[in-house]
Amino acid sequence: MRIKSVVKDLLAERFDREYEKKLKEQRTDYDSWIRQRENGERESGNAQADAAAESPFVLILQERGELAEEAVQKIEHYFRLHPECDILYGDEDAVGPDGLRRNPWYRPCWSPDLYLDCYYPGSVAAVRKSAAAGYFHTAPGQDRILFREPAQIRREMDGILEKVGGFEKNCVCVQRLPEILFHVREESVWEEYLTASAGEELVGRMKALGDAREKLLSVIIPSKDNPEVLEKCLASLKKAAKGRAMEILVVDNGSSPMNREAVEKRMGGKGYLYQPMEFNFSAMCNLGAGRAQGELLLFLNDDVELCPDGGLDKMCAKAVLPYVGAVGMKLCYPDDLAIQHDGITSLPVGPVHKLQYFEDNKSYYFGRNRYDHNCLAVTGACLMVEKQKFWEAGGFDTRLRVAYNDVALGFRLREAGYQNVVLNHCRGLHYESLSRGSDETWEKQRRLEEERELLYSMYPAFRREDPFYPVQLNTEGLDSRIRPGYITSRNTVQPPDWKRVPKRLAGCRLDNCLMVRVETAGPDRIQGYSVVLGDDNACYERYLLLEPESGTGQRVCMKLEGQYRDDLEENLPDQKN
């Protein structure tokens, strides 16, 4: 036995060394990755300089840093290709005393509501000289203006943005160049950007664009056989309203006689729309919207409780702005206040709730969960929109009975030129899907997949990409983290190499120590991970075995090469390799 144990230990050490070697090959740091990428662009001639007597733009620069190499050429080239663009911003990173670059800050496409909350364009912005006239006085040939304080930049930019129509519907005058344009020497300047909210003058002019105080709010709540949960929702709504003019419409698709009587009594004979039908969230919401008297609509799940933090008034004030489409708020799980919804992001796996299940006790990726921000869609569990805009977008699509109807509405509002926004300064509690249960069953998962495919067949432009979520950030899996994509840049999708497998697998056993998680599965690829709990995972080979659903087809398997998953390193610290 002693010899067998020694041999086993020696083999394990060898496997561990091989594993560490593979990890080293897969890991990369930002400085190496970005320099290699930029060198490749220079060799391919992507950064082209245009011959011009004078630059058509003026650069507004932060003093505490430096322009990236070829930034001017890239900006100039972009302006000449996009004559509609008046203001251009990009991304930036930090450079230390050692000359190494780190911590890239990737920005979304133009996000006016994020801009109102913080100065996210950052250390360099390019403004077309025709748009800057009257704000910046430059000498002939001068194309740079230096500022030290972010508040100074912000004051000037506020006025220019209003002049060029940055807060109008269908705005295209403000655009993002997805390139690193600046290197800051002091990362503390970023905190100054994040705390530089809109000035009083701009806020006052924004308020003048729309006044929600006199507008009637119609709250539409789909509910069935859930009187106790509904009661909590209605009680929270009353506290949150604080005397605001409001009508409540409960849409019931077929409660039992006893529950129907309880809800009718609670509603006092007003605003209770009882119409037995198969569950169709879209049809129920449209039914309520069709009966609504208010100019503002709030679609609210019966398992959502609003907090009395002024959030309802803030949603109304935002929803009436001419450029705004759907408005949502941050929703948290009630037990531990982890994030449930903070805007919907369209990724290769489909629409997801980024940061879902993450504790809301700290800030993630430059304030993602701290500042109001624009997004492609917000959850229908708590969604406000002006009635005229709602019907302009066609209401909820009844073909999407259960899922993604809110996403489709967001897509249509976006296509119509409106900006959807989630308010992070407001919060509600969501007892997610109490009414109809979870989506864990096989039947529900299949229905979810069918509705997702229907969604993207109708809106193919939004498949796999999201202008509010830069592709350089994590776009893989359902871990819902926001992490720079360079970390896993050396991963490549493994090509299929399936082998036939006999019906009986000799020498194999089923063992509960193996934990397997399939994160996504479709015609293009299967993605997930497996862990042998309590053992050294470097000592195992891994094969993916597929069995036919009917039980009559051919089994196949493929040996897995493995990918680098830093999120598993972080989330499973007690498991070896």
Side-chain angles (χ1 to χ4, degrees), residues 60-62 89-92 105 107 115 118-125 150 153 157 182 184 189-190 193:
I60 304 170
L61 294 173
Q62 167 62 243
Y89 63 91
D91 306 323
E92 59 190 85
W105 184 358
R107 275 63 182 255
Y115 177 85
C118 66
Y119 188 72
Y120 82 91
S123 298
V124 57
I153 304 177
M157 288 295 292
F182 199 85
V184 297
V189 72
W190 287 339
Y193 296 148

Side-chain angles (χ1 to χ4, degrees), residues 65 164 173 205 251 285 300 369 417 433 496 571:
V164 301
C173 60
R205 289 193 289 269
V251 183
C285 287
L300 191 66
N369 59 319
S433 298
N571 296 337

Side-chain angles (χ1 to χ4, degrees), residues 151 363 420 441:
S363 178
N420 304 310
T441 67

Side-chain angles (χ1 to χ4, degrees), residues 227-237 302 304-306 431:
E228 293 181 1
V229 172
L230 176 63
E231 174 58 37
K232 291 181 179 179
C233 173
L234 294 174
S236 74
L237 186 58
D302 62 1
V304 169
E305 295 179 22
L306 300 182
Y431 300 78

Side-chain angles (χ1 to χ4, degrees), residues 214-225:
E214 302 302 321
K215 293 183 184 292
L216 177 65
L217 172 65
S218 295
V219 184
I220 299 160
I221 308 175
S223 185
K224 175 189 174 185
D225 284 326

Side-chain angles (χ1 to χ4, degrees), residues 330 339-344 354-355 368-369 373 422 424:
K330 181 193 296 178
I339 296 169
Q340 187 270 328
H341 167 263
D342 190 44
I344 294 173
K354 273 289 181 181
L355 295 181
R368 165 84 182 201
N369 59 319
H373 62 86
V422 61
N424 265 316

Side-chain angles (χ1 to χ4, degrees), residues 379-539:
T379 178
C382 181
L383 184 157
M384 186 180 292
V385 62
E386 280 194 297
K387 183 162 64 174
Q388 168 264 320
K389 297 170 185 172
F390 177 74
W391 291 120
E392 179 187 341
F396 285 108
D397 193 324
T398 55
R399 290 173 293 180
L400 297 166
R401 297 171 41 251
V402 180
Y404 305 124
N405 31 56
D406 45 10
V407 182
L409 178 63
F411 286 175
R412 288 198 302 278
L413 287 166
R414 173 73 178 168
E415 287 179 336
Y418 295 108
Q419 294 276 10
N420 304 310
V421 56
V422 61
L423 305 184
N424 265 316
H425 300 292
C426 314
R427 192 172 69 183
L429 303 180
H430 191 191
Y431 300 78
E432 188 178 18
S433 298
L434 269 181
S435 309
R436 59 182 181 84
S438 71
D439 285 314
E440 289 298 319
T441 67
W442 174 249
E443 180 183 351
K444 289 183 178 181
Q445 284 293 326
R446 174 169 287 179
R447 184 260 306 153
L448 192 69
E449 182 179 331
E450 290 173 352
E451 291 193 322
R452 182 174 62 238
E453 287 308 305
L454 175 59
L455 171 77
Y456 284 125
S457 69
M458 295 187 291
Y459 308 101
F462 297 107
R463 186 188 286 270
R464 298 182 179 275
E465 58 183 66
D466 188 324
F468 297 103
Y469 188 79
V471 294
Q472 297 94 333
L473 298 179
N474 176 35
T475 59
E476 297 293 336
L478 298 177
D479 59 343
S480 296
R481 287 162 23 113
I482 295 179
R483 55 186 175 149
Y486 71 82
I487 293 173
T488 54
S489 62
R490 292 180 179 173
N491 285 344
T492 56
V493 177
Q494 182 177 339
D497 184 25
W498 299 103
K499 310 291 185 186
R500 291 194 171 192
V501 181
K503 293 276 185 180
R504 294 180 179 272
L505 297 176
C508 293
R509 71 170 189 254
L510 294 176
D511 198 323
N512 289 334
C513 72
L514 179 65
M515 179 177 76
V516 178
R517 178 72 67 186
V518 178
E519 295 168 316
T520 181
D524 297 328
R525 64 175 170 176
I526 303 170
Q527 178 174 300
Y529 61 89
S530 64
V531 180
V532 181
L533 299 171
D535 206 346
D536 185 349
N537 280 260
C539 297

